[in-house]
Amino acid sequence: MTKVTKLAAERRELMDDIAMLTKRKAEIDAKLLKLDPDKTYTGDGVELSFTRVHSLDSALIAKRFPASRRPEFYKLSLDVAEFRKHFAEKDLEPYEKVSTRISVKAVD
């Protein structure tokens, strides 16, 4: 195995581990959220407490206050697809940013 493929294999393993750990974290969170949020739990070298986070439900607000009736609640944003329609590909180059996506697949 070359150094590059070893790195790719390690990255693939890490991605699998992250997916598994993310799933396990969600399972644990679901169990913890069933506990009394007003109580602090201490033991096994940890202290568990809960903080309520208040945020607005954007979907609900948009449903009850559509832009057609309350435009002051909304702002314009750039429509990239529309922008592209007005320029030739070569003229878009100065506005492009280039990034690289890494893909590693397990092979047998």
Side-chain angles (χ1 to χ4, degrees):
M1 206 184 279
T2 68
K3 187 174 185 174
V4 170
T5 55
K6 282 182 183 177
L7 283 173
E10 181 181 358
R11 185 181 189 282
R12 179 69 256 154
E13 257 183 63
L14 288 171
M15 295 303 292
D16 290 344
D17 290 347
I18 289 168
M20 186 262 314
L21 291 169
T22 299
K23 180 181 175 190
R24 180 64 182 138
K25 178 183 172 284
E27 291 168 353
I28 291 170
D29 287 353
K31 289 178 182 179
L32 293 176
L33 288 171
K34 293 179 181 177
L35 299 173
D36 180 356
D38 296 320
K39 185 175 176 185
T40 297
Y41 301 85
T42 306
D44 298 314
V46 298
E47 178 179 282
L48 172 66
S49 61
F50 301 89
T51 303
R52 287 186 174 85
V53 178
H54 296 264
S55 59
L56 295 175
D57 184 339
S58 297
L60 177 62
I61 293 169
K63 184 177 177 181
R64 291 199 180 154
F65 301 94
S68 60
R69 288 190 311 166
R70 299 302 298 263
E72 69 272 21
F73 293 163
Y74 297 85
K75 59 184 175 183
L76 294 175
S77 62
L78 178 63
D79 183 342
V80 175
E82 185 64 28
F83 182 81
R84 284 181 181 277
K85 292 178 188 178
H86 294 272
F87 297 91
E89 279 298 316
K90 64 179 177 68
D91 295 330
L92 290 171
E93 288 178 11
Y95 302 102
E96 291 178 344
K97 62 181 181 179
V98 178
S99 61
T100 303
R101 182 177 295 137
I102 297 172
S103 176
V104 180
K105 297 178 184 176
V107 292
D108 295 320

